[in-house]
Structure formats: structure tokens, C-alpha cells
Amino acid sequence: MPIDESLPFIPVNIAVLTVSDTRDMASDRSGQTLQERIEGAGHRCVAREIVRDEADAIEAVLRRWIADPTIDCGITTGGTGITGRDVTPEAFKRVLEKEIEGFGELFRMLSYRKIGTSTMQSRALGGVANGTYLFALPGSTGACKDAWDDILLFQLDARHRPCNLVELMPRLKEHMRAA
């Protein structure tokens, strides 16, 4: 995955949400892992929150993020499994305008190499709403590392070739301007 060093790095403003009934900031290893990786890559972690596994609470945070022009991307961790309390994908589907199907597909392909068929239990997904990228990751630190290190690190770097998500940011609201 080539990085074109002749191009400027463009920092992205990223918000992190941990979805958990049991975590607090002190015990939130997945949120901390994401924040460290985001900042280590030169981006800004502009918000970090924790909410319970409740679709309405998750949706409220997502809607606040997509209404905030200072947030370019939101990443959630947790609630993407298949148990009764796992409702992050349902909350995402309430707000997404477009799903980025390839994100979930790629995440599960990469995850398969590490955890085998257990990856089928992940409903990780990505999409766009009001010009803001949104990604839902599983709650494990390993899954957060894999998603960041193997996908988002590159797609959120404007220097990544042949293409990346950052270069599309100015065009994400074209349909709104046309209307």
C-alpha cells in the first residue's frame, strides 16, 4: 500500500465512541487503543465517549457527530456482534446515507486470517452520513488494531495511492448542494 511522500499529510478530525454496558474511561482499552493509533498517525482525536449498548443512545451520538462540521470521521468500538444487546449496526443504519460495504467485507477478510470462521459473527460496517465517515468496529482491542492498522490508517491518509477516503471528503455532500 504505497504512500506518496511527495504529497502533504492532511490530518483528519476523528471522534471515538465505545459502546459498552460495563466500560468506563479507565477500563476502555479499545477506545484508548484507537485514540493512541489516531494520534500516532498524526490525526486528531477530537472526541471520545462511552455509551451503553442502546440503539437510541448510539444514534444520538452519531447524529451529534454528523451535525458537527469539525468531525470528519467517527469510529465506534463495540456492539457489532449478534447477541441481543449488540445494536450498533442498527443505530448506524438509522443515520447512514450510504454504506461502504467494502469496509465490512475487507475487515472480515483480514480478520479471518487471525481468528478464522469466528469472524462471521462480526457485523463491522462503514458508511457516510452528512459528509462524515462512520465506522463500526468490534469491541476487542485486537479488532480495533486490525481495522486501524490494516485499513483505516491507509484510507484516512491523503497520500495513500491509488486512492483514499480523504481525497473524497470535499465531494461527500455533492448531492446536498445539487438539491
Side-chain angles (χ1 to χ4, degrees):
M1 295 180 228
I3 297 293
D4 184 345
E5 298 289 346
S6 69
L7 297 172
F9 177 79
I10 300 171
V12 176
N13 292 331
I14 303 172
V16 174
L17 175 66
T18 298
V19 177
S20 174
D21 289 336
T22 60
R23 301 270 154 73
D24 58 20
M25 284 296 185
S27 62
D28 178 20
R29 292 183 32 232
S30 293
Q32 184 64 35
T33 295
L34 285 168
Q35 182 175 353
E36 289 169 359
R37 279 173 157 65
I38 288 164
E39 293 171 348
H43 299 296
R44 293 179 286 267
C45 184
V46 295
R48 185 161 161 228
E49 302 177 48
I50 298 175
V51 297
R52 295 181 56 78
D53 287 286
E54 295 170 0
D56 291 343
I58 299 164
E59 178 185 359
V61 173
L62 296 176
R63 288 199 184 280
R64 189 166 19 90
W65 286 356
I66 64 176
D68 185 339
T70 67
I71 296 177
D72 302 314
C73 177
I75 303 173
T76 67
T77 174
T80 61
I82 56 174
T83 69
R85 295 289 295 156
D86 292 322
V87 295
T88 301
E90 286 74 19
F92 265 63
K93 290 178 181 181
R94 293 179 188 177
V95 302
L96 290 181
E97 294 166 6
K98 294 184 179 184
E99 191 168 338
I100 304 171
E101 289 87 352
F103 174 78
E105 294 164 356
L106 181 56
F107 174 80
R108 283 180 286 281
M109 182 197 78
L110 295 168
S111 182
Y112 177 78
R113 295 178 186 159
K114 296 183 180 181
I115 65 169
T117 58
S118 296
T119 194
M120 70 175 265
Q121 296 178 30
S122 169
R123 296 186 302 146
L125 69 122
V128 180
N130 193 33
T132 304
Y133 290 116
L134 297 171
F135 298 97
L137 312 180
S140 74
T141 55
C144 290
K145 289 175 184 177
D146 293 345
W148 181 265
D149 296 349
D150 297 337
I151 305 171
L152 296 175
L153 174 68
F154 300 102
Q155 282 300 299
L156 294 176
D157 190 328
R159 305 167 301 164
H160 176 70
R161 294 291 161 246
C163 57
N164 60 76
L165 295 174
V166 178
E167 64 194 0
L168 298 178
M169 289 170 127
R171 299 180 51 207
L172 293 177
K173 293 186 178 185
E174 287 175 333
H175 64 294
M176 295 174 177
R177 286 188 289 272

